Amino acid sequence: MTFPADLLTLLLRTSKLAALTGAGVSQESGLRTFRDAQSGLWAQYRPEDLASPEAFARDPKLVWDWYAWRREAVKAVRPNPGHYALVEIEKRVPHFTLITQNVDGLHRMAGSRNVLELHGNIQRVRCSECYAFAETWGDDGESVPRCEICGGLLRPDVVWFGEALPREQLEAAVEAARTCDVFFSIGTSGVVQPAASLAYAARNRGAVVVEVNLEPTPLTPKADFFLQGKSGEILPALVKAVWG
Ligand code: BV8
Ligand code: ZN
């Protein structure tokens, strides 16, 4: 795999790099992306119809079961070479901020340290009323487990559509986007806001935008470099080409 020489020179010189990742980065670990049709008994649902407070209010058991199913799927997979390449970049670039939309925790599992989880983490469960975290819970398969402290329904600690993103993570992500020399957008269709606006915030401040994605997205025409293909193949090859 070859890369434009000016991209390689730029990355060797970069001291401030930010990367936004989406479900595409976890696809080669075996996790479905949001674009992929859901499988099995979840095939009839669209994620947007389940990942919202309204859906949880309407049918808490259905939403709880969907996340329980996804938690098991996440437990069964491991980071892929794309995750590990980002760990390598963090070691090589003086200031590197990894901003992820993914809730699977695979970046931290791979060894990334400076990770901003914009949409929470599916492995964490909290009370929908008092926000207390639950490490363990009884799941009789009949009803949604309840908070031991206040009796509220437990829920995944993720950001649903219509919910605000965690303030510190979002502010840190915007700051990283505004101050970086190079902004990577990797494995994301760039549809969901406000995460999708980060690449434009970087571009408006003069950052070079590099997109790594299986297919073109609305960002592609605005990116300085578009590396089309699998992140699990492109990222390791890029790390090797730049840093040997
Ligand atoms: C907010 C956690 C305001 C949950 C997620 C109307 C009504 C209500 C809201 C809105 C509205 N219109 C717009 C909005 C805002 C809304 C939004 O953006 N909607 C979209 C649908 C238009 N945003 C929100 O609601 C956000 N909150 O705005 O709050 C507010 C403010 C103050 C106070 C109160 C409220 C919250 C958004 C977060 C939602 N939660 N996840 C869960 O996971 O269950 S979003 C979820 O979907 C993911 O986290 C991710 O962000 C998104 C999926 O996107 P991608 O990651 O890009 O995945 P996708 O499948 O789309 O694409 C994968 C790409 O990878 C593809 O391009 C593919 O080609 C590529 N690919 C595949 N394989 C590979 C690959 N690339 C490389 N290598 C491969 N191997
Ligand atoms: Zn509670």
Side-chain angles (χ1 to χ4, degrees):
M1 191 176 298
T2 57
F3 299 98
D6 49 346
L7 174 60
L8 301 182
T9 318
L10 172 71
L11 290 176
L12 203 53
R13 278 203 336 258
T14 288
S15 65
K16 284 191 180 175
L17 202 153
L20 172 72
T21 63
V25 166
S26 297
Q27 187 268 334
E28 289 158 88
S29 293
L31 288 181
R32 292 180 190 295
T33 71
F34 281 73
R35 296 228 111 46
D36 293 339
Q38 297 237 81
S39 73
L41 75 155
W42 301 107
Q44 59 194 299
Y45 300 99
R46 290 182 323 134
E48 302 82 278
D49 302 334
L50 294 172
S52 77
E54 294 75 20
F56 188 65
R58 191 172 49 246
D59 189 342
K61 182 83 172 72
L62 179 74
V63 174
W64 173 265
D65 287 348
W66 182 51
Y67 281 94
W69 176 75
R70 286 175 61 195
R71 258 196 307 278
E72 290 314 306
V74 166
K75 276 192 196 121
V77 301
R78 292 290 171 270
N80 65 63
H83 293 104
Y84 290 112
L86 288 164
V87 176
E88 197 52 36
I89 291 174
E90 185 174 40
K91 289 178 185 150
R92 305 288 188 143
V93 177
H95 305 282
F96 177 59
T97 304
L98 180 52
I99 306 158
T100 190
Q101 302 172 90
N102 299 337
V103 296
D104 54 38
L106 289 177
H107 284 302
R108 284 223 176 83
M109 189 188 278
S112 289
R113 301 232 303 276
N114 184 13
V115 183
L116 298 172
E117 291 181 324
L118 291 187
H119 295 160
N121 187 314
I122 197 170
Q123 317 264 17
R124 286 196 305 269
V125 168
R126 68 168 171 83
C127 174
S128 55
E129 303 294 334
C130 73
Y131 279 76
F133 287 106
E135 293 305 322
T136 59
W137 53 85
D139 192 345
D140 59 10
E142 292 306 312
S143 54
V144 176
R146 288 189 174 270
C147 167
E148 279 172 9
I149 298 165
C150 78
L153 291 174
L154 294 183
R155 59 164 281 181
D157 188 33
V158 297
V159 179
W160 279 335
F161 287 100
E163 292 186 323
L165 277 60
R167 200 168 45 77
E168 288 103 70
Q169 276 77 359
L170 182 57
E171 283 174 359
V174 170
E175 178 58 20
R178 284 187 173 151
T179 55
C180 67
D181 310 318
V182 180
F183 186 93
F184 273 79
S185 179
I186 309 167
T188 178
S189 56
V191 167
V192 173
Q193 293 299 348
S197 59
L198 292 169
Y200 300 92
R203 189 170 178 275
N204 294 344
R205 289 295 180 93
V208 169
V209 175
V210 184
E211 183 177 36
V212 178
N213 209 61
L214 206 54
E215 65 205 5
T217 71
L219 176 66
T220 308
K222 305 265 192 319
D224 298 281
F225 296 94
F226 176 46
L227 309 177
Q228 184 159 13
K230 293 187 167 187
S231 49
E233 293 168 7
I234 291 174
L235 293 176
L238 188 61
V239 167
K240 194 163 180 319
V242 177
W243 290 285

